Amino acid sequence: GETHLGCAELFLGRFDRALPRLERLYAQGLQDLNDGNSLRFLYNNSINLMIVLSHVQWLTGSPDVAVATAEKVVEYGLATEHELSLSIGLAWVCLVFYWAGRDEQCRRYSAMLDDLVERHGIVTWRPVATFCRGALASRHDDTRAKGIEDLELAVAECRAIGHMARLPYYMAVLAEALT
């Protein structure tokens, strides 16, 4: 529940509350990967904690710490051997790598996410993979048109499935690419 409160605080812009809450939870330690109770909510809560923490770290001016946390999410997510948890982790940390200009990591992990979406039908995260692919492509003159096409598709996918939390940001990136 505390992690979800931190996530709500993130989306409400209450970083001054979210950061100490998430740091306190993180300091208590991550769940044991072999703990069967860790998946009782169908995902690994340590991954959930770290993804929200990485975004708050980024938004509060600690980009290097955010990237390190994002890298740990991927490492931990792969180690869990639980693909739903990994997909949740990738859907959040791809954006951290994009913001940090870590294009290769963003490209690699969004491709992993895209693969998980296709293999398991996790349509919730399809717009994220599409967005990352488009955002990266739109940064370069020779791939900008395809990037814009993917960004438009990501916006349409968000609307189609009701994934509204990231829609304003996706639209802003699309607008920037169009200029």
Side-chain angles (χ1 to χ4, degrees), residues 16-99:
D16 58 328
R17 294 182 191 173
L19 188 59
R21 177 188 310 277
L22 297 166
E23 286 177 336
R24 178 179 45 78
L25 293 170
Y26 188 74
Q28 292 173 0
L30 301 177
Q31 292 171 312
D32 181 349
L33 291 175
N34 297 317
D35 177 8
N37 289 325
S38 70
L39 299 177
R40 68 178 169 246
F41 299 109
L42 302 180
Y43 61 87
N44 183 288
N45 192 53
S46 292
I47 289 174
N48 196 34
L49 167 63
M50 289 187 289
I51 60 176
V52 178
L53 179 59
S54 69
H55 279 232
V56 173
Q57 290 166 333
W58 180 271
L59 292 168
T60 56
S62 299
D64 293 338
V65 177
V67 167
T69 302
E71 288 171 338
K72 189 164 190 165
V73 167
V74 175
E75 176 186 323
Y76 198 84
L78 289 169
T80 64
E81 297 181 3
H82 187 255
E83 292 186 328
L84 180 58
S85 296
L86 178 60
S87 72
I88 293 167
L90 293 172
W92 282 66
V93 301
C94 285
L95 293 175
V96 173
F97 294 124
Y98 173 72
W99 298 330

Side-chain angles (χ1 to χ4, degrees), residues 86-87 90-91 94 106-123 125-134 146 150 153 157:
L86 178 60
S87 72
L90 293 172
C94 285
C106 181
R107 187 174 292 107
R108 180 174 55 244
Y109 297 136
S110 60
M112 285 175 63
L113 177 60
D114 207 18
D115 177 61
L116 290 169
V117 165
E118 292 306 313
R119 284 191 293 124
H120 299 292
I122 311 169
V123 296
W125 301 129
R126 179 175 289 127
V128 179
T130 305
F131 168 82
C132 289
R133 186 174 53 248
K146 175 63 174 139
D150 282 341
L153 179 58
E157 288 175 333

